[in-house]
């Protein structure tokens, strides 16, 4: 295999209902043009799961109330996986190119989590009009916006 190098571009601050991404000054010029987008895809490192046990977990036992008894990590969004990389589609609250910060309304990441990359959300590439999901999760919300009012706690066994 080739050597692979990943350089974090910043970190997430998620404290006191204030959520933002703070870029390393080296990368803040990369924000040019992002202000025209309402949403951004954040690829971030789930550092709390960066350990040998979590990285070697390939099958989870019934993580969802209505799900199968056993399910592989590539069929769910578990933080336990070979590479603890997460992707979150988030709405931009504000953008400060000069400071290298992006304010967010919400992200499911802990403060201090490393940001690996940012990509603008574009419906022409990222939106799937007729996705197919397993029957056990077909009652889940059909959009990011609907998810905020959904009772997610009743769906999980953890």
């Amino acid at each position: 295999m080739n050597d692979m190098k990943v350089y974090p571009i910043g970190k997430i601050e998620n404290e006191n209902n204030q959520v933002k991404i703070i870029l390393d000054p080296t990368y803040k010029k990369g924000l040019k043009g992002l202000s025209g987008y309402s949403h951004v895809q954040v690829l971030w490192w789930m550092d709390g799961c960066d350990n040998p046990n979590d990285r070697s977990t390939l099958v989870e036992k019934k993580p969802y109330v209505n799900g199968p008894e056993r399910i592989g990590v590539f069929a769910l969004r578990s933080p336990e996986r070979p590479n603890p990389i997460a992707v979150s589609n988030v709405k931009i609250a504000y953008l400060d190119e000069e400071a290298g910060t992006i304010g967010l309304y919400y992200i499911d990441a802990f403060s201090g989590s490393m940001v690996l990359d940012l990509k603008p959300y574009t419906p022409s590439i990222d939106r799937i009009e007729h996705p197919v999901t397993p029957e056990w999760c077909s009652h889940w919300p059909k959009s990011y916006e609907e998810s905020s009012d959904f009772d997610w706690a009743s769906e999980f066994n953890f």
Side-chain angles (χ1 to χ4, degrees):
M1 285 197 160
N2 294 332
D3 284 340
M4 190 167 109
K5 295 181 182 175
V6 176
Y7 302 102
I9 62 168
K11 67 178 182 173
I12 294 168
E13 267 191 20
N14 193 347
E15 297 173 357
N16 304 319
N17 293 325
Q18 298 290 316
V19 185
K20 62 183 170 182
I21 295 170
I22 302 171
L23 292 184
D24 181 289
T26 305
Y27 302 107
K28 68 182 186 178
K29 287 183 182 178
L31 293 175
K32 185 166 184 59
L34 187 61
S35 63
Y37 292 91
S38 64
H39 293 74
V40 65
Q41 293 179 326
V42 182
L43 283 81
W44 54 278
W45 193 258
M46 294 181 279
D47 54 331
C49 298
D50 192 358
N51 60 68
N53 185 53
D54 288 344
R55 281 179 166 248
S56 64
T57 300
L58 296 178
V59 177
E60 295 280 354
K61 294 178 184 171
K62 190 104 173 133
Y64 300 109
V65 172
N66 297 314
E69 289 301 318
R70 297 175 62 79
I71 188 168
V73 297
F74 302 134
L76 54 95
R77 295 178 70 111
S78 168
E80 297 171 331
R81 50 197 330 107
N83 293 300
I85 298 170
V87 60
S88 298
N89 294 318
V90 295
K91 187 171 183 180
I92 298 170
Y94 67 86
L95 180 72
D96 185 336
E97 288 183 37
E98 186 64 33
T101 60
I102 304 169
L104 307 174
Y105 290 101
Y106 172 80
I107 193 168
D108 55 340
F110 293 116
S111 201
S113 296
M114 294 179 289
V115 175
L116 304 177
D117 203 357
L118 300 169
K119 298 183 185 299
Y121 175 86
T122 55
S124 60
I125 297 170
D126 302 316
R127 183 171 179 257
I128 308 298
E129 293 217 17
H130 306 288
V132 175
T133 59
E135 182 63 33
W136 61 265
C137 65
S138 63
H139 65 284
W140 288 2
K142 303 298 183 234
S143 71
Y144 172 82
E145 291 80 7
E146 291 176 12
S147 290
S148 65
D149 295 329
F150 188 71
D151 181 15
W152 285 107
S154 68
E155 296 295 314
F156 300 107
N157 283 323
F158 50 89

